[in-house]
mmCIF file of all heavy atoms in Angstrom:
data_model
loop_
_atom_site.group_PDB
_atom_site.id
_atom_site.type_symbol
_atom_site.label_atom_id
_atom_site.label_comp_id
_atom_site.label_asym_id
_atom_site.label_seq_id
_atom_site.Cartn_x
_atom_site.Cartn_y
_atom_site.Cartn_z
ATOM 1 N N ARG B 55 26.595 11.653 14.920
ATOM 2 C CA ARG B 55 26.058 12.980 14.483
ATOM 3 C C ARG B 55 26.941 14.100 14.490
ATOM 4 O O ARG B 55 26.793 15.168 13.663
ATOM 5 C CB ARG B 55 24.800 13.271 15.377
ATOM 6 C CG ARG B 55 23.663 12.366 15.065
ATOM 7 C CD ARG B 55 22.528 12.651 16.079
ATOM 8 N NE ARG B 55 21.376 11.779 15.819
ATOM 9 C CZ ARG B 55 20.372 11.616 16.717
ATOM 10 N NH1 ARG B 55 20.419 12.234 17.884
ATOM 11 N NH2 ARG B 55 19.321 10.894 16.340
ATOM 12 N N ALA B 160 21.689 1.890 1.151
ATOM 13 C CA ALA B 160 22.030 3.091 1.860
ATOM 14 C C ALA B 160 23.587 3.286 1.946
ATOM 15 O O ALA B 160 24.076 4.427 1.837
ATOM 16 C CB ALA B 160 21.399 3.015 3.252
ATOM 17 N N ILE B 207 30.090 1.908 14.443
ATOM 18 C CA ILE B 207 29.289 1.643 15.739
ATOM 19 C C ILE B 207 28.699 0.233 15.564
ATOM 20 O O ILE B 207 27.971 0.027 14.597
ATOM 21 C CB ILE B 207 28.200 2.676 15.889
ATOM 22 C CG1 ILE B 207 28.652 4.059 15.753
ATOM 23 C CG2 ILE B 207 27.495 2.359 17.276
ATOM 24 C CD1 ILE B 207 29.647 4.516 16.804
ATOM 25 N N SER B 315 7.483 -27.792 30.586
ATOM 26 C CA SER B 315 7.539 -28.951 29.549
ATOM 27 C C SER B 315 6.412 -28.784 28.639
ATOM 28 O O SER B 315 5.250 -28.443 28.932
ATOM 29 C CB SER B 315 7.386 -30.223 30.312
ATOM 30 O OG SER B 315 8.343 -30.323 31.275
ATOM 31 N N CYS B 347 1.765 -26.995 22.705
ATOM 32 C CA CYS B 347 1.470 -26.145 23.905
ATOM 33 C C CYS B 347 2.686 -26.116 24.829
ATOM 34 O O CYS B 347 3.256 -27.137 25.154
ATOM 35 C CB CYS B 347 0.294 -26.826 24.613
ATOM 36 S SG CYS B 347 -0.925 -25.613 25.076
ATOM 37 N N LEU B 427 -14.221 -5.947 28.768
ATOM 38 C CA LEU B 427 -14.112 -6.494 30.121
ATOM 39 C C LEU B 427 -14.703 -5.459 31.146
ATOM 40 O O LEU B 427 -14.489 -4.260 30.872
ATOM 41 C CB LEU B 427 -12.827 -6.890 30.563
ATOM 42 C CG LEU B 427 -12.131 -8.043 29.733
ATOM 43 C CD1 LEU B 427 -10.857 -8.473 30.297
ATOM 44 C CD2 LEU B 427 -13.013 -9.305 29.749
ATOM 45 N N ALA B 467 3.845 -5.813 28.953
ATOM 46 C CA ALA B 467 2.820 -5.879 30.032
ATOM 47 C C ALA B 467 1.355 -5.706 29.357
ATOM 48 O O ALA B 467 0.433 -6.384 29.809
ATOM 49 C CB ALA B 467 3.027 -4.811 31.129
ATOM 50 N N ALA B 468 1.337 -4.817 28.495
ATOM 51 C CA ALA B 468 -0.018 -4.478 27.885
ATOM 52 C C ALA B 468 -0.518 -5.752 27.067
ATOM 53 O O ALA B 468 -1.736 -6.043 27.038
ATOM 54 C CB ALA B 468 0.148 -3.356 26.837
ATOM 55 N N TYR B 488 22.770 -5.994 23.702
ATOM 56 C CA TYR B 488 22.629 -7.310 24.178
ATOM 57 C C TYR B 488 21.847 -7.384 25.478
ATOM 58 O O TYR B 488 21.053 -8.301 25.816
ATOM 59 C CB TYR B 488 23.961 -8.025 24.237
ATOM 60 C CG TYR B 488 23.905 -9.498 24.296
ATOM 61 C CD1 TYR B 488 23.492 -10.236 23.244
ATOM 62 C CD2 TYR B 488 24.328 -10.155 25.474
ATOM 63 C CE1 TYR B 488 23.474 -11.591 23.305
ATOM 64 C CE2 TYR B 488 24.349 -11.560 25.494
ATOM 65 C CZ TYR B 488 23.894 -12.258 24.374
ATOM 66 O OH TYR B 488 23.832 -13.587 24.450
ATOM 67 N N ARG B 524 13.402 -25.291 20.595
ATOM 68 C CA ARG B 524 13.303 -25.860 19.277
ATOM 69 C C ARG B 524 13.573 -24.772 18.338
ATOM 70 O O ARG B 524 13.253 -23.565 18.553
ATOM 71 C CB ARG B 524 11.845 -26.310 19.075
ATOM 72 C CG ARG B 524 11.597 -26.904 17.726
ATOM 73 C CD ARG B 524 10.104 -27.327 17.776
ATOM 74 N NE ARG B 524 9.524 -27.374 16.461
ATOM 75 C CZ ARG B 524 8.184 -27.421 16.236
ATOM 76 N NH1 ARG B 524 7.327 -27.446 17.237
ATOM 77 N NH2 ARG B 524 7.766 -27.445 15.063
#
Side-chain angles (χ1 to χ4, degrees):
Chain B
R55 286 173 176 166
I207 309 294
S315 303
C347 226
L427 295 185
Y488 197 66
R524 175 180 159 199

